């Protein structure tokens, strides 16, 4: 796993009951000479709030992306009504006479939306979309976004995040135009351990071609996993693809998103609590060498 960045730490269960609040930081090594501070978030308690509760949206953790399931995918990117996903965000910018905005960040396999919630205040002028294959989990994230907007209506918070149910292994180019995305996230994806199921993995040569298509030159693709073999797999395929190059340690240390990759998601917080190891691979979309 020499090409993967490895992090191991001892986790502790949260003692605070505040949602979406970092209670401490830890130092994580990105290499021999480079390290960053990673926030350790508390587990949110939604009791007595308008936020949805996960126990009401239970669903199996795994889903076969190659099954013949029916999804309401748009015919092309222009067919998506983004105003329905970000109504307040669009209304404010239209009133100000600004040009139409587009989704720039995509969290593929967003789970319960933890990363979206962290990204929203960090990039308030960027639209971030979560894409999740499980219907009940998608419903949870949508309700979470709406509830957060209501709770932060006075400040206009969380108006720039939303979620769609989608199978990105089949329909990603139907949502995004060529060169549209600046950041794409694959955080703690399903490892599909059995060799017969490796074709279900979200990082494959053919899929990387689609990711390169929807990403702009210079865009960043983030991956992290707690499964060493999957970290090796993703590093191998990304290293071999001509449209991607590894981001250097100094650039990783300067990127405000990188600390959130470790603990910004519910899955990442679980890995932290269990004192697990993580394997980070971050790549930049480069110019087409064959153009």
């Amino acid at each position: 796993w020499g090409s993967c960045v490895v992090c191991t730490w001892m986790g502790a269960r949260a003692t605070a009951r505040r949602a979406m609040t970092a209670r401490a930081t830890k130092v994580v090594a990105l290499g021999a000479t480079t390290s960053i501070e990673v926030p350790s978030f508390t587990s949110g308690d939604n009791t007595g709030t308008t936020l949805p509760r996960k126990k009401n949206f239970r669903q199996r953790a795994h889903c076969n992306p190659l099954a013949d399931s029916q999804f309401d995918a748009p015919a092309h990117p222009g067919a998506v009504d983004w105003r329905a996903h970000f109504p307040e965000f669009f209304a404010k910018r239209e009133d100000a006479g600004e040009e139409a905005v587009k989704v720039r960040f995509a969290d593929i396999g967003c789970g319960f939306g933890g990363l979206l919630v962290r990204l929203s205040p960090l990039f308030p002028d960027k639209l971030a979309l979560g894409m999740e294959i499980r219907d009940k989990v998608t419903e949870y994230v949508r309700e979470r976004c709406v509830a957060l907007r209501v709770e932060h209506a006075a400040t206009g918070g969380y108006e720039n995040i939303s979620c769609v149910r989608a199978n990105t292994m089949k329909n990603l180019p139907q949502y995004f135009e060529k060169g549209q995305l600046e950041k794409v996230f694959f955080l703690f994806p399903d490892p599909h351990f059995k060799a017969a199921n490796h074709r279900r993995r979200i990082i494959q040569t053919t899929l990387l071609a689609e990711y390169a298509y929807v990403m702009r030159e210079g865009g960043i693709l983030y991956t992290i996993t707690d499964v060493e073999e999957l970290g090796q797999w993703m590093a191998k395929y990304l290293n071999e693809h001509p449209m991607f190059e590894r981001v250097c340690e100094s650039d990783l240390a300067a990127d405000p998103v990188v600390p959130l990759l470790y603990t910004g998601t519910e899955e990442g917080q679980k890995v932290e609590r269990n004192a697990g190891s993580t394997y980070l691979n971050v790549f930049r979309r480069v110019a087409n060498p064959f153009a």
Side-chain angles (χ1 to χ4, degrees):
W1 46 265
S3 61
C4 298
V5 179
V6 184
C7 155
T8 306
W9 65 75
M10 293 303 295
R13 293 195 178 277
T15 57
R17 303 290 288 176
R18 302 183 304 275
M20 301 177 294
T21 303
R23 59 180 168 86
T25 60
K26 61 174 68 68
V27 176
V28 174
L30 296 176
T33 60
T34 308
S35 61
I36 59 172
E37 286 191 351
V38 172
S40 182
F41 293 97
T42 65
S43 297
D45 182 359
N46 295 342
T47 305
T49 73
T50 60
L51 294 172
R53 305 191 69 182
K54 292 179 187 175
K55 70 176 185 178
N56 299 325
F57 298 86
R58 296 298 184 189
Q59 190 165 355
R60 291 179 59 186
H62 304 284
C63 185
N64 180 6
L66 302 182
D68 292 328
S69 303
Q70 296 298 316
F71 290 85
D72 294 327
H76 54 84
V80 184
D81 181 12
W82 294 117
R83 287 175 179 81
H85 287 275
F86 312 98
E88 300 90 351
F89 191 94
F90 271 86
K92 290 178 180 178
R93 278 148 184 79
E94 288 173 353
D95 290 344
E98 299 180 12
E99 295 183 0
V101 291
K102 298 179 180 180
V103 172
R104 297 302 182 187
F105 301 168
D107 183 9
I108 297 178
C110 67
F112 290 98
L115 181 68
L116 294 174
V117 173
R118 316 293 180 198
L119 290 175
S120 179
L122 195 60
F123 300 95
D125 295 323
K126 300 286 186 179
L127 293 182
L129 183 71
M131 309 186 79
E132 173 61 45
I133 196 170
R134 296 167 293 173
D135 55 349
K136 290 184 179 179
V137 178
T138 302
E139 184 182 355
Y140 170 87
V141 179
R142 287 173 177 168
E143 292 192 14
R144 184 180 187 183
C145 292
V146 172
L148 286 170
R149 292 174 192 173
V150 172
E151 288 196 355
H152 297 81
T155 59
Y158 303 99
E159 296 175 352
N160 60 333
I161 56 175
S162 187
C163 182
V164 297
R165 186 186 182 214
N167 185 345
T168 56
M169 290 183 70
K170 296 183 178 181
N171 305 122
L172 187 67
Q174 293 168 245
Y175 283 92
F176 304 117
E177 300 170 355
K178 180 179 180 180
Q180 179 175 334
L181 297 178
E182 298 174 3
K183 297 182 184 295
V184 179
F185 301 89
F186 302 91
L187 308 189
F188 301 97
D190 192 329
H192 294 291
F193 287 107
K194 295 181 180 179
N197 292 336
H198 284 180
R199 62 198 182 102
R200 301 179 184 177
R201 289 181 169 177
I202 198 66
I203 298 297
Q204 309 271 357
T205 300
T206 52
L207 293 174
L208 285 173
E210 290 194 355
Y211 305 152
Y213 175 83
V214 298
M215 294 178 68
R216 64 172 48 180
E217 185 178 333
I220 306 296
L221 186 152
Y222 302 85
T223 76
I224 191 169
T225 179
D226 60 327
V227 178
E228 182 177 4
E229 187 273 332
L230 181 60
Q232 296 172 355
W233 170 286
M234 294 192 290
K236 173 182 180 295
Y237 280 91
L238 281 160
N239 275 317
E240 293 176 351
H241 201 283
M243 298 292 286
F244 293 95
E245 66 177 11
R246 183 177 290 277
V247 175
C248 66
E249 292 178 8
S250 59
D251 287 347
L252 289 178
D255 188 341
V257 170
V258 171
L260 300 179
L261 306 180
Y262 292 92
T263 55
T265 66
E266 289 76 7
E267 192 66 28
Q269 292 163 25
K270 184 190 302 182
V271 173
E272 179 192 19
R273 291 194 300 270
N274 294 331
S277 299
T278 52
Y279 306 88
L280 177 71
N281 288 286
V282 181
F283 282 73
R284 181 180 290 107
R285 200 279 207 189
V286 299
N288 186 350
F290 306 108

